[in-house]
Amino acid sequence: MAVPALLPAPFTSPVAASYARLGEVFPGLRIEELGRDERSPRGAGWVGADELAAGGAALDAFLAWDNAQVLRDYGRQARPDVVASFGLHRYTWPACLLVTVPWFLHRRVPRLPARNVAFQRALGRMAVRVEEFACLPDDPAAALPGARVVPDEEALRAEVRASLAEHFEDVLAGFGPRMRRGRRALWGMATDEIVEGLWYIATLLGEERRAMDELELLMPGTAKPYAGAAGFRELAGSEAADGTPRSTRDRATCCFFYTLRPEDTCLTCPRTCDAERVRRLAATA
């Protein structure tokens, strides 16, 4: 009697629902999960995070895009370290969401070393391979391959910090020599992107307050190698429609956009005074 061939088990993702929800509220970023045997995309505008971490020709090409964008949009040449800061921001902001959104929505924390992530920024796409993730004991996903169960919420927050640190340790090593910044400043940038990325997405989800509370616990200012805290505070004189004060924070680092337009700083830039923040928020309300 012929023995039927065993079919491979279907691919089950612990983060698919999180990435789908992210795509619903933020269509500018689409995340594709790779199966066990699928190759990470290369060419046609794709770059691997491990290629950026290597700091060679792939990073040169990546930053050439930023340099061309500055020349086109602002009509002037930016300093090389400013271009590198722009490039790092444009990678780290979406890359942080790969970890923070599944944690925030479903209490699952994927491990994503640089070799398992690729980015196509012109199309707003990322490709990831999740081989391992952390979750809580009562999560049904705890029975999935690659699951690592941790005892409580604080342990899960530690997993978020560890996953992001593993990924960005390599990436920052690639960008660092181009940016003329020390280790603390580089990790301050990573801290800012972690906090402000999830803060923004949670606002789109209608869960800003919960995200702020959880980010305060995730980034208390004492967790190494990160530099800086979530640091939210009420912005006096800027009330939402329901009369509650709006929140703000001061970034741990500056992106140097002021070197191109001194009068046009970010809303959470340390150079932007509270009165200016209130004025801008009122103008967009």
Side-chain angles (χ1 to χ4, degrees), residues 209-262:
R209 183 69 258 173
R210 180 168 78 89
M212 291 165 57
D213 291 342
E214 298 210 15
L215 284 165
E216 291 281 6
L217 295 172
L218 180 70
M219 290 293 161
T222 56
K224 301 299 181 182
Y226 303 100
F232 293 107
R233 58 185 177 83
E234 291 187 351
L235 185 57
S238 176
E239 284 72 34
D242 61 0
T244 58
R246 296 182 187 270
S247 297
T248 190
R249 68 181 296 268
D250 299 316
R251 289 178 60 89
T253 57
C254 179
C255 68
F256 293 155
F257 185 72
Y258 75 90
T259 62
L260 295 174
R261 286 187 175 177

Side-chain angles (χ1 to χ4, degrees), residues 35-87:
R36 298 180 185 90
D37 300 322
E38 287 185 88
R39 293 173 60 87
S40 185
R42 293 291 189 269
W46 285 95
V47 63
D50 53 347
E51 293 180 293
L52 297 178
L59 182 56
D60 291 338
F62 187 81
L63 295 179
W65 189 98
D66 295 281
N67 190 61
Q69 178 267 321
V70 168
L71 289 170
R72 181 183 67 249
D73 293 352
Y74 306 113
R76 58 184 300 185
Q77 179 66 62
R79 297 188 329 233
D81 61 307
V82 175
V83 171
S85 294
F86 289 177

Side-chain angles (χ1 to χ4, degrees), residues 131-174:
E131 298 172 326
E132 181 183 351
F133 69 99
C135 63
L136 294 171
D138 59 350
D139 189 333
L144 292 177
R148 189 174 68 263
V149 178
V150 298
D152 53 33
E153 291 282 359
E154 179 50 40
L156 200 64
R157 285 190 287 270
E159 290 290 333
V160 176
R161 292 188 287 263
S163 177
L164 290 165
E166 177 187 19
H167 185 86
F168 288 121
E169 186 74 52
D170 291 339
V171 172
L172 294 180

Side-chain angles (χ1 to χ4, degrees), residues 15-36:
V15 294
S18 299
Y19 291 163
R21 183 69 179 124
L22 172 60
E24 290 172 1
V25 298
F26 187 61
L29 178 62
R30 289 180 296 152
I31 302 169
E32 172 191 356
E33 287 192 76
L34 302 172
R36 298 180 185 90

